Structures are given as C-alpha cells and as structure tokens.
Amino acid sequence: MLNAPLSIDVRRGAVAALGELLADKRIATEGRVAIAVGQGQGDHIAEHVRPSLSACEVFQVEGGTVDAAVGLAGKLRGGTFEAVVGIGGGRTIDATKYAATLSGIPMVSVATNLSHDGICSPVASLQHDKGKGSFGVVMPLAMVVDLDYVHNAPDRLVRAGVGDVVSNFSAVDDWLLAAEQCGERVDRMALTVARTAAEALLHQPGSIESDRFLTVLAEGLVLSGMAMSFAGDSRPASGGDHEILHAVDQLYPGTANHGELAGIGAAFCYHLRATRLDGGGAGAGDTAAERLAEILACLGRHGLPRFPADVGLTEDQFAEAVLYAPRTRPGRYTILEHLGLDKGETLKAVEEYVQAHGD
C-alpha cells in the first residue's frame, strides 16, 4: 500500500483548525496527542493549539539529530499517545518523523517554513557522529502549512524550497539515465509526480510575498514527498544534484542550506549534460541547455545562489565537492557516475560553467 497523507491543508489560519484535524478518527480517537516543537515559532504554535487539544503534551526537540529523535521516541513510547505533531522547520519535522517511526505512531507535519521537501517525505535527514545521513521513515499522515507562519519565517528559508523542487528535473533525468545505462526500474507515477511539481513551480509568476506562489511551492514540496513514497526511495527527487549538496555539506559544513545547494547542483548537472553527454541520453544536448537556462532564470528570479561564489565557495572547492559527490550515495547512478570525470576535467567543467553563465 502506498503511504500518502490523508489530509493536506495549505492556507492562512490552518493551525487554528489543527484540533479539528486531529479529531479525525483515523489519526486520534481519544485526543491523546504529543506535540514536538523546535526553536522559534514552534513554541508559539503549540500554545496556540493547546486550547483545542487539552490532552496534549508538548516536548522540545533539540535540533535535527539522531540523538534528539531517539530521545523523543523514548518519551513517546513512555506515554500513551495516539499521534505526534511535529511543528517547525525541516530539522524538527525530520526528527519527529524518525521518532514517530521508531515509536510506531502516526505523525502530523506542521511546517513553519518551506525550505525543502522533507516537510512531507518518507526520508529524514539527521545529523550523527559521522555527519549527516538519510533515514527511511513513515510519511506524515497529514500535512498542515499555515501561510501566516510561513510569511513570518526568514525569507531565505522559504526561497530555498524553490531550489529543492526545481532540482527534481535533474533527479528525474538521472533516473532515466540509470534506466538506459543500467536497466534500473523506473516508477512512472513517481517520475510524473516529481516532474509535475517542478514544472508547476518553474514559471510560476509572483514571489514568496504572494499566497498564491507559496501555495504552489507548498504543493510542490508535498508532491515531491509523495513521489518518493511512490518510488519507495528518494530517487525521483535526488540525483547528482543532491550528491553534490551532500558533498558540500560534508566537506564544507554550514556553507548554505539544503534547497540553495540543490538548486546549484541541479544547474551544474545540466551544464554537464549540455556539454558532455554524448550519444543522446536523458536530458542531453539542446534539451539540457534549454532546461539549464530555465533553472538559472528561476533561481535568479527568486534571489537564490547559482554559482559557487554565491555560497562562499571557490571553483576549486566546488570541484572538490563534485568529485567527492558520488561517494555520498553509493550505488546511485547519475550524470556524475556516468561521466566519471577526473580532478582536472571536473575543475575545467566548473570553470566553464561559471564563465559561460556568470554575470
């Protein structure tokens, strides 16, 4: 059975209806609900929903780490909760998803920003002793995005979601490339949903100041999460683009956020496709050049970084990350594994990308 949300609510004032949502007998029959909050707006929202959830208990999540998630899971197992509500940004929601999975109870996701598709996906990205890892989890049973809270989130975090959604194009083409070259099975429903999310956002008019735009962005992030659920892994939303972002995270931690790096990674992967993918293949040649132009225009329109210098990296550092990237996802076949560029070739490709498309 596919794991998909029972309810998705994206609008202003959505948090006010949280009590009604949790009264759904498919989620909680007696109202015994745990609320997990992070720093920032999470505490405020928890207080907002307390009057309608008199039986709830609030727990503080100390960051997006495996230890924090396991600690929360212990508290959930120590109670008699029917569901847990994760309120906050990506780190809080990822920790709550992992804790809910360990505890065997349903989870409701309440996103206070739209920085990446982790708000509604079957994957949790968590810090541990050796860096950051991705863990398979049960997808949230319901999803709430209150646009009032999103408008109050830092603009940079909200814009970042754009980069994560448009990177779906790169992930999908990598999946098709793996099917051509390695015979990898492609789930066409997952592929279609992931691509549709990106297409809906790519040319969407407006900006993050617009409720209409934020609604499309939120829906795109949810669709990306659903595509991963259909596929059974992160394939439809994570290709060479995400290998690059994970490499940057490991080699140069704190450089930029997930969505910002996903956008740059996707653009660079299309540069490789346009200039080095011979003999056709998914997203090759003129098609890749056109997609690259569209992605760069979209990132620029929303004030997102497009080049290594935009996130404080030199061309040498970015090339090092590209060279390291395949090690972050062993067994995944993308444009990076297909080309197998050496150190000199990688640096040359980075230099060409910046020279050809930089201002």
Side-chain angles (χ1 to χ4, degrees), residues 287-343:
T287 301
E290 292 167 2
R291 184 65 81 194
L292 170 58
E294 291 175 330
I295 289 174
L296 287 173
C298 179
L299 297 178
R301 187 165 64 250
H302 294 290
L304 285 164
R306 299 179 295 171
F307 305 104
D310 295 340
V311 293
L313 294 177
T314 66
E315 291 173 11
D316 283 323
Q317 289 173 323
F318 189 75
E320 184 182 2
V322 173
L323 201 61
Y324 183 85
R327 295 169 60 183
T328 68
R329 287 291 182 274
R332 182 155 292 187
Y333 193 86
T334 76
I335 186 66
L336 302 180
E337 288 80 4
H338 181 70
L339 295 176
L341 302 181
D342 64 23
K343 184 175 181 179

Short mmCIF file of all heavy atoms in Angstrom, two decimals, residues 287-343:
data_model
loop_
_atom_site.label_atom_id
_atom_site.label_comp_id
_atom_site.label_asym_id
_atom_site.label_seq_id
_atom_site.Cartn_x
_atom_site.Cartn_y
_atom_site.Cartn_z
N THR A 287 18.27 20.00 -25.30
CA THR A 287 17.25 19.93 -24.26
C THR A 287 17.83 20.32 -22.91
O THR A 287 17.21 21.07 -22.15
CB THR A 287 16.68 18.50 -24.17
OG1 THR A 287 16.11 18.15 -25.43
CG2 THR A 287 15.61 18.42 -23.09
N ALA A 288 19.02 19.84 -22.60
CA ALA A 288 19.67 20.16 -21.34
C ALA A 288 20.02 21.64 -21.28
O ALA A 288 19.90 22.28 -20.23
CB ALA A 288 20.91 19.31 -21.14
N ALA A 289 20.49 22.22 -22.39
CA ALA A 289 20.84 23.64 -22.42
C ALA A 289 19.61 24.50 -22.17
O ALA A 289 19.67 25.51 -21.45
CB ALA A 289 21.47 23.99 -23.77
N GLU A 290 18.49 24.09 -22.72
CA GLU A 290 17.25 24.84 -22.51
C GLU A 290 16.81 24.74 -21.05
O GLU A 290 16.39 25.73 -20.44
CB GLU A 290 16.16 24.30 -23.44
CG GLU A 290 16.41 24.57 -24.91
CD GLU A 290 15.51 23.77 -25.82
OE1 GLU A 290 14.64 23.03 -25.29
OE2 GLU A 290 15.65 23.87 -27.06
N ARG A 291 16.89 23.54 -20.51
CA ARG A 291 16.49 23.36 -19.11
C ARG A 291 17.43 24.13 -18.18
O ARG A 291 16.98 24.74 -17.20
CB ARG A 291 16.49 21.88 -18.74
CG ARG A 291 16.00 21.61 -17.33
CD ARG A 291 14.52 21.99 -17.17
NE ARG A 291 13.65 20.95 -17.68
CZ ARG A 291 12.36 21.12 -17.91
NH1 ARG A 291 11.81 22.32 -17.71
NH2 ARG A 291 11.61 20.14 -18.37
N LEU A 292 18.70 24.14 -18.48
CA LEU A 292 19.66 24.89 -17.68
C LEU A 292 19.30 26.36 -17.68
O LEU A 292 19.31 27.01 -16.60
CB LEU A 292 21.08 24.70 -18.24
CG LEU A 292 22.18 25.60 -17.66
CD1 LEU A 292 22.28 25.42 -16.15
CD2 LEU A 292 23.51 25.30 -18.33
N ALA A 293 18.98 26.92 -18.83
CA ALA A 293 18.61 28.34 -18.91
C ALA A 293 17.37 28.62 -18.07
O ALA A 293 17.28 29.65 -17.37
CB ALA A 293 18.38 28.74 -20.36
N GLU A 294 16.40 27.72 -18.11
CA GLU A 294 15.17 27.89 -17.32
C GLU A 294 15.46 27.86 -15.83
O GLU A 294 14.91 28.67 -15.06
CB GLU A 294 14.16 26.81 -17.69
CG GLU A 294 13.58 26.92 -19.09
CD GLU A 294 12.69 25.75 -19.45
OE1 GLU A 294 12.93 24.63 -18.91
OE2 GLU A 294 11.76 25.93 -20.25
N ILE A 295 16.29 26.90 -15.41
CA ILE A 295 16.59 26.77 -13.98
C ILE A 295 17.38 27.98 -13.48
O ILE A 295 17.08 28.54 -12.42
CB ILE A 295 17.35 25.46 -13.71
CG1 ILE A 295 16.41 24.27 -13.89
CG2 ILE A 295 17.95 25.45 -12.30
CD1 ILE A 295 17.09 22.92 -13.78
N LEU A 296 18.37 28.42 -14.24
CA LEU A 296 19.15 29.59 -13.83
C LEU A 296 18.26 30.83 -13.74
O LEU A 296 18.41 31.64 -12.82
CB LEU A 296 20.30 29.83 -14.82
CG LEU A 296 21.47 28.86 -14.74
CD1 LEU A 296 22.46 29.11 -15.87
CD2 LEU A 296 22.17 28.95 -13.38
N ALA A 297 17.33 30.98 -14.69
CA ALA A 297 16.42 32.12 -14.66
C ALA A 297 15.52 32.05 -13.43
O ALA A 297 15.27 33.07 -12.76
CB ALA A 297 15.57 32.15 -15.93
N CYS A 298 15.03 30.87 -13.10
CA CYS A 298 14.17 30.69 -11.93
C CYS A 298 14.92 31.00 -10.64
O CYS A 298 14.43 31.74 -9.77
CB CYS A 298 13.61 29.27 -11.90
SG CYS A 298 12.55 28.89 -10.50
N LEU A 299 16.12 30.45 -10.51
CA LEU A 299 16.92 30.70 -9.30
C LEU A 299 17.23 32.20 -9.17
O LEU A 299 17.13 32.77 -8.08
CB LEU A 299 18.23 29.90 -9.35
CG LEU A 299 18.11 28.37 -9.36
CD1 LEU A 299 19.49 27.73 -9.46
CD2 LEU A 299 17.37 27.86 -8.14
N GLY A 300 17.59 32.83 -10.28
CA GLY A 300 17.89 34.25 -10.24
C GLY A 300 16.69 35.09 -9.89
O GLY A 300 16.78 36.06 -9.12
N ARG A 301 15.54 34.71 -10.42
CA ARG A 301 14.30 35.46 -10.16
C ARG A 301 13.94 35.46 -8.68
O ARG A 301 13.38 36.43 -8.17
CB ARG A 301 13.17 34.85 -11.00
CG ARG A 301 11.86 35.61 -10.97
CD ARG A 301 10.93 35.16 -12.08
NE ARG A 301 10.51 33.77 -11.96
CZ ARG A 301 10.89 32.79 -12.76
NH1 ARG A 301 11.75 33.03 -13.75
NH2 ARG A 301 10.44 31.55 -12.60
N HIS A 302 14.28 34.38 -8.00
CA HIS A 302 13.92 34.26 -6.58
C HIS A 302 15.09 34.55 -5.65
O HIS A 302 15.00 34.28 -4.44
CB HIS A 302 13.34 32.87 -6.32
CG HIS A 302 12.04 32.64 -7.02
ND1 HIS A 302 10.88 33.28 -6.64
CD2 HIS A 302 11.73 31.88 -8.10
CE1 HIS A 302 9.89 32.90 -7.45
NE2 HIS A 302 10.38 32.06 -8.33
N GLY A 303 16.16 35.11 -6.19
CA GLY A 303 17.28 35.51 -5.35
C GLY A 303 18.05 34.36 -4.74
O GLY A 303 18.65 34.50 -3.67
N LEU A 304 18.06 33.22 -5.43
CA LEU A 304 18.80 32.05 -4.93
C LEU A 304 20.19 32.00 -5.54
O LEU A 304 20.41 32.46 -6.67
CB LEU A 304 18.03 30.77 -5.28
CG LEU A 304 16.79 30.49 -4.44
CD1 LEU A 304 15.92 29.45 -5.13
CD2 LEU A 304 17.18 30.02 -3.06
N PRO A 305 21.15 31.44 -4.82
CA PRO A 305 22.50 31.31 -5.38
C PRO A 305 22.52 30.41 -6.61
O PRO A 305 21.76 29.44 -6.69
CB PRO A 305 23.31 30.70 -4.23
CG PRO A 305 22.31 30.06 -3.33
CD PRO A 305 21.06 30.88 -3.46
N ARG A 306 23.41 30.74 -7.56
CA ARG A 306 23.52 29.96 -8.79
C ARG A 306 24.93 29.44 -9.05
O ARG A 306 25.11 28.51 -9.83
CB ARG A 306 23.07 30.80 -9.99
CG ARG A 306 21.61 31.25 -9.91
CD ARG A 306 21.23 32.09 -11.12
NE ARG A 306 21.97 33.36 -11.15
CZ ARG A 306 21.96 34.20 -12.18
NH1 ARG A 306 21.27 33.91 -13.27
NH2 ARG A 306 22.64 35.32 -12.13
N PHE A 307 25.92 30.05 -8.40
CA PHE A 307 27.31 29.72 -8.66
C PHE A 307 28.05 29.51 -7.35
O PHE A 307 27.61 29.99 -6.30
CB PHE A 307 27.97 30.83 -9.49
CG PHE A 307 27.23 31.13 -10.75
CD1 PHE A 307 26.43 32.26 -10.87
CD2 PHE A 307 27.31 30.26 -11.83
CE1 PHE A 307 25.72 32.51 -12.03
CE2 PHE A 307 26.60 30.51 -13.00
CZ PHE A 307 25.81 31.63 -13.09
N PRO A 308 29.18 28.80 -7.39
CA PRO A 308 29.92 28.53 -6.15
C PRO A 308 30.20 29.77 -5.32
O PRO A 308 30.03 29.76 -4.08
CB PRO A 308 31.22 27.89 -6.66
CG PRO A 308 30.83 27.24 -7.95
CD PRO A 308 29.80 28.14 -8.56
N ALA A 309 30.62 30.86 -5.95
CA ALA A 309 30.95 32.08 -5.21
C ALA A 309 29.75 32.64 -4.46
O ALA A 309 29.91 33.31 -3.43
CB ALA A 309 31.50 33.14 -6.16
N ASP A 310 28.53 32.34 -4.94
CA ASP A 310 27.32 32.85 -4.28
C ASP A 310 27.15 32.25 -2.89
O ASP A 310 26.42 32.81 -2.06
CB ASP A 310 26.08 32.54 -5.13
CG ASP A 310 26.08 33.28 -6.46
OD1 ASP A 310 26.79 34.28 -6.58
OD2 ASP A 310 25.34 32.84 -7.37
N VAL A 311 27.77 31.10 -2.65
CA VAL A 311 27.67 30.47 -1.32
C VAL A 311 29.05 30.44 -0.63
O VAL A 311 29.26 29.68 0.32
CB VAL A 311 27.08 29.05 -1.41
CG1 VAL A 311 25.62 29.11 -1.84
CG2 VAL A 311 27.89 28.15 -2.35
N GLY A 312 29.97 31.26 -1.13
CA GLY A 312 31.27 31.38 -0.48
C GLY A 312 32.28 30.31 -0.81
O GLY A 312 33.27 30.14 -0.09
N LEU A 313 32.06 29.56 -1.91
CA LEU A 313 33.00 28.52 -2.31
C LEU A 313 33.83 28.98 -3.51
O LEU A 313 33.31 29.66 -4.40
CB LEU A 313 32.27 27.23 -2.69
CG LEU A 313 31.52 26.49 -1.58
CD1 LEU A 313 30.80 25.28 -2.16
CD2 LEU A 313 32.47 26.05 -0.47
N THR A 314 35.09 28.60 -3.54
CA THR A 314 35.90 28.84 -4.72
C THR A 314 35.57 27.77 -5.76
O THR A 314 34.94 26.74 -5.45
CB THR A 314 37.40 28.76 -4.39
OG1 THR A 314 37.73 27.41 -4.01
CG2 THR A 314 37.77 29.72 -3.26
N GLU A 315 36.01 27.98 -6.98
CA GLU A 315 35.78 26.98 -8.02
C GLU A 315 36.51 25.69 -7.69
O GLU A 315 35.99 24.59 -7.94
CB GLU A 315 36.24 27.54 -9.37
CG GLU A 315 35.33 28.67 -9.86
CD GLU A 315 35.86 29.36 -11.11
OE1 GLU A 315 36.82 28.84 -11.72
OE2 GLU A 315 35.31 30.42 -11.48
N ASP A 316 37.69 25.79 -7.10
CA ASP A 316 38.43 24.59 -6.68
C ASP A 316 37.66 23.80 -5.62
O ASP A 316 37.61 22.57 -5.66
CB ASP A 316 39.81 24.97 -6.13
CG ASP A 316 40.81 25.33 -7.22
OD1 ASP A 316 40.77 24.68 -8.28
OD2 ASP A 316 41.61 26.25 -7.01
N GLN A 317 37.08 24.52 -4.66
CA GLN A 317 36.32 23.85 -3.60
C GLN A 317 35.08 23.17 -4.16
O GLN A 317 34.75 22.04 -3.78
CB GLN A 317 35.94 24.86 -2.52
CG GLN A 317 37.10 25.33 -1.67
CD GLN A 317 36.71 26.45 -0.73
OE1 GLN A 317 35.90 27.33 -1.07
NE2 GLN A 317 37.30 26.45 0.47
N PHE A 318 34.38 23.86 -5.04
CA PHE A 318 33.18 23.27 -5.63
C PHE A 318 33.55 22.04 -6.46
O PHE A 318 32.86 21.01 -6.41
CB PHE A 318 32.44 24.29 -6.49
CG PHE A 318 31.08 23.83 -6.95
CD1 PHE A 318 30.01 23.79 -6.07
CD2 PHE A 318 30.88 23.42 -8.26
CE1 PHE A 318 28.75 23.37 -6.49
CE2 PHE A 318 29.63 22.98 -8.69
CZ PHE A 318 28.57 22.96 -7.80
N ALA A 319 34.65 22.13 -7.21
CA ALA A 319 35.10 20.99 -7.99
C ALA A 319 35.44 19.80 -7.08
O ALA A 319 35.15 18.64 -7.41
CB ALA A 319 36.32 21.37 -8.83
N GLU A 320 36.05 20.08 -5.95
CA GLU A 320 36.36 19.02 -4.99
C GLU A 320 35.08 18.34 -4.52
O GLU A 320 35.02 17.11 -4.37
CB GLU A 320 37.14 19.59 -3.81
CG GLU A 320 37.57 18.53 -2.81
CD GLU A 320 38.31 19.10 -1.61
OE1 GLU A 320 38.46 20.34 -1.52
OE2 GLU A 320 38.73 18.30 -0.74
N ALA A 321 34.04 19.15 -4.26
CA ALA A 321 32.76 18.59 -3.82
C ALA A 321 32.12 17.75 -4.93
O ALA A 321 31.58 16.67 -4.65
CB ALA A 321 31.81 19.72 -3.41
N VAL A 322 32.19 18.20 -6.17
CA VAL A 322 31.63 17.44 -7.29
C VAL A 322 32.36 16.10 -7.43
O VAL A 322 31.75 15.06 -7.66
CB VAL A 322 31.72 18.25 -8.60
CG1 VAL A 322 31.31 17.38 -9.80
CG2 VAL A 322 30.84 19.50 -8.52
N LEU A 323 33.67 16.12 -7.27
CA LEU A 323 34.48 14.91 -7.38
C LEU A 323 34.14 13.93 -6.25
O LEU A 323 34.11 12.70 -6.45
CB LEU A 323 35.96 15.28 -7.33
CG LEU A 323 36.97 14.29 -7.89
CD1 LEU A 323 36.73 14.04 -9.38
CD2 LEU A 323 38.39 14.81 -7.68
N TYR A 324 33.86 14.47 -5.07
CA TYR A 324 33.54 13.65 -3.89
C TYR A 324 32.09 13.15 -3.92
O TYR A 324 31.76 12.13 -3.29
CB TYR A 324 33.79 14.48 -2.63
CG TYR A 324 33.57 13.75 -1.33
CD1 TYR A 324 34.58 12.97 -0.76
CD2 TYR A 324 32.35 13.84 -0.65
CE1 TYR A 324 34.38 12.30 0.43
CE2 TYR A 324 32.14 13.18 0.54
CZ TYR A 324 33.16 12.41 1.08
OH TYR A 324 32.95 11.75 2.27
N ALA A 325 31.23 13.85 -4.64
CA ALA A 325 29.78 13.64 -4.57
C ALA A 325 29.32 12.19 -4.72
O ALA A 325 28.47 11.74 -3.94
CB ALA A 325 29.08 14.53 -5.60
N PRO A 326 29.82 11.42 -5.69
CA PRO A 326 29.32 10.04 -5.82
C PRO A 326 29.50 9.18 -4.58
O PRO A 326 28.78 8.20 -4.38
CB PRO A 326 30.14 9.49 -7.01
CG PRO A 326 30.47 10.69 -7.82
CD PRO A 326 30.73 11.77 -6.80
N ARG A 327 30.44 9.54 -3.73
CA ARG A 327 30.67 8.77 -2.50
C ARG A 327 29.54 8.95 -1.49
O ARG A 327 29.43 8.16 -0.54
CB ARG A 327 32.01 9.17 -1.88
CG ARG A 327 33.21 8.83 -2.76
CD ARG A 327 34.50 9.46 -2.28
NE ARG A 327 34.86 9.05 -0.93
CZ ARG A 327 35.92 9.52 -0.27
NH1 ARG A 327 36.71 10.43 -0.84
NH2 ARG A 327 36.19 9.09 0.94
N THR A 328 28.73 9.99 -1.66
CA THR A 328 27.65 10.24 -0.70
C THR A 328 26.45 9.34 -0.92
O THR A 328 25.62 9.20 -0.03
CB THR A 328 27.19 11.71 -0.77
OG1 THR A 328 26.52 11.96 -2.02
CG2 THR A 328 28.36 12.67 -0.61
N ARG A 329 26.32 8.76 -2.11
CA ARG A 329 25.20 7.88 -2.42
C ARG A 329 25.73 6.65 -3.16
O ARG A 329 25.49 6.49 -4.36
CB ARG A 329 24.15 8.60 -3.27
CG ARG A 329 23.31 9.63 -2.52
CD ARG A 329 22.38 8.93 -1.51
NE ARG A 329 21.56 9.90 -0.81
CZ ARG A 329 21.92 10.55 0.28
NH1 ARG A 329 23.13 10.36 0.80
NH2 ARG A 329 21.09 11.38 0.87
N PRO A 330 26.45 5.75 -2.48
CA PRO A 330 26.99 4.56 -3.14
C PRO A 330 25.88 3.75 -3.81
O PRO A 330 24.81 3.54 -3.22
CB PRO A 330 27.63 3.78 -1.99
CG PRO A 330 27.91 4.81 -0.93
CD PRO A 330 26.79 5.80 -1.05
N GLY A 331 26.12 3.36 -5.04
CA GLY A 331 25.13 2.56 -5.75
C GLY A 331 24.14 3.37 -6.57
O GLY A 331 23.41 2.80 -7.38
N ARG A 332 24.11 4.69 -6.40
CA ARG A 332 23.20 5.52 -7.19
C ARG A 332 23.91 5.97 -8.46
O ARG A 332 25.04 6.43 -8.42
CB ARG A 332 22.73 6.73 -6.38
CG ARG A 332 21.74 7.61 -7.15
CD ARG A 332 20.84 8.39 -6.22
NE ARG A 332 19.93 7.51 -5.50
CZ ARG A 332 18.94 7.92 -4.71
NH1 ARG A 332 18.74 9.22 -4.52
NH2 ARG A 332 18.15 7.07 -4.10
N TYR A 333 23.23 5.81 -9.59
CA TYR A 333 23.82 6.14 -10.88
C TYR A 333 23.23 7.46 -11.38
O TYR A 333 22.03 7.58 -11.57
CB TYR A 333 23.55 5.04 -11.89
CG TYR A 333 24.36 5.13 -13.16
CD1 TYR A 333 25.64 4.58 -13.24
CD2 TYR A 333 23.85 5.75 -14.30
CE1 TYR A 333 26.39 4.66 -14.41
CE2 TYR A 333 24.59 5.83 -15.47
CZ TYR A 333 25.86 5.28 -15.52
OH TYR A 333 26.60 5.36 -16.67
N THR A 334 24.10 8.46 -11.57
CA THR A 334 23.67 9.78 -12.03
C THR A 334 24.61 10.24 -13.14
O THR A 334 25.53 9.52 -13.53
CB THR A 334 23.69 10.81 -10.88
OG1 THR A 334 25.05 11.20 -10.63
CG2 THR A 334 23.08 10.25 -9.60
N ILE A 335 24.41 11.44 -13.61
CA ILE A 335 25.29 12.01 -14.62
C ILE A 335 26.74 12.04 -14.13
O ILE A 335 27.67 11.90 -14.92
CB ILE A 335 24.81 13.43 -15.02
CG1 ILE A 335 25.64 14.00 -16.18
CG2 ILE A 335 24.84 14.38 -13.84
CD1 ILE A 335 25.47 13.25 -17.47
N LEU A 336 26.94 12.19 -12.82
CA LEU A 336 28.30 12.24 -12.27
C LEU A 336 29.01 10.89 -12.42
O LEU A 336 30.16 10.82 -12.84
CB LEU A 336 28.26 12.66 -10.80
CG LEU A 336 27.60 14.01 -10.50
CD1 LEU A 336 27.64 14.29 -9.00
CD2 LEU A 336 28.25 15.14 -11.29
N GLU A 337 28.31 9.81 -12.07
CA GLU A 337 28.90 8.48 -12.22
C GLU A 337 29.06 8.13 -13.70
O GLU A 337 30.03 7.47 -14.10
CB GLU A 337 28.03 7.42 -11.53
CG GLU A 337 28.06 7.46 -10.02
CD GLU A 337 27.17 8.53 -9.41
OE1 GLU A 337 26.43 9.22 -10.16
OE2 GLU A 337 27.21 8.69 -8.18
N HIS A 338 28.10 8.56 -14.51
CA HIS A 338 28.14 8.24 -15.95
C HIS A 338 29.36 8.85 -16.63
O HIS A 338 30.03 8.18 -17.41
CB HIS A 338 26.86 8.76 -16.61
CG HIS A 338 26.79 8.47 -18.08
ND1 HIS A 338 26.61 7.20 -18.58
CD2 HIS A 338 26.88 9.29 -19.16
CE1 HIS A 338 26.58 7.24 -19.90
NE2 HIS A 338 26.75 8.51 -20.28
N LEU A 339 29.65 10.10 -16.31
CA LEU A 339 30.78 10.78 -16.95
C LEU A 339 32.11 10.38 -16.32
O LEU A 339 33.13 10.28 -17.00
CB LEU A 339 30.60 12.30 -16.86
CG LEU A 339 29.42 12.87 -17.65
CD1 LEU A 339 29.30 14.37 -17.41
CD2 LEU A 339 29.56 12.59 -19.15
N GLY A 340 32.13 10.18 -15.02
CA GLY A 340 33.34 9.76 -14.32
C GLY A 340 34.52 10.70 -14.55
O GLY A 340 35.64 10.24 -14.78
N LEU A 341 34.28 12.00 -14.47
CA LEU A 341 35.33 12.97 -14.73
C LEU A 341 36.43 12.90 -13.65
O LEU A 341 36.13 12.70 -12.47
CB LEU A 341 34.75 14.39 -14.75
CG LEU A 341 33.63 14.67 -15.77
CD1 LEU A 341 33.19 16.12 -15.66
CD2 LEU A 341 34.08 14.34 -17.18
N ASP A 342 37.68 13.08 -14.08
CA ASP A 342 38.76 13.13 -13.11
C ASP A 342 38.89 14.54 -12.53
O ASP A 342 38.10 15.44 -12.87
CB ASP A 342 40.08 12.64 -13.72
CG ASP A 342 40.60 13.53 -14.86
OD1 ASP A 342 40.23 14.73 -14.92
OD2 ASP A 342 41.37 13.03 -15.70
N LYS A 343 39.88 14.75 -11.68
CA LYS A 343 40.02 16.03 -10.98
C LYS A 343 40.19 17.19 -11.95
O LYS A 343 39.51 18.22 -11.83
CB LYS A 343 41.20 15.96 -10.02
CG LYS A 343 41.38 17.22 -9.18
CD LYS A 343 42.50 17.03 -8.16
CE LYS A 343 42.66 18.27 -7.29
NZ LYS A 343 43.75 18.08 -6.28
#
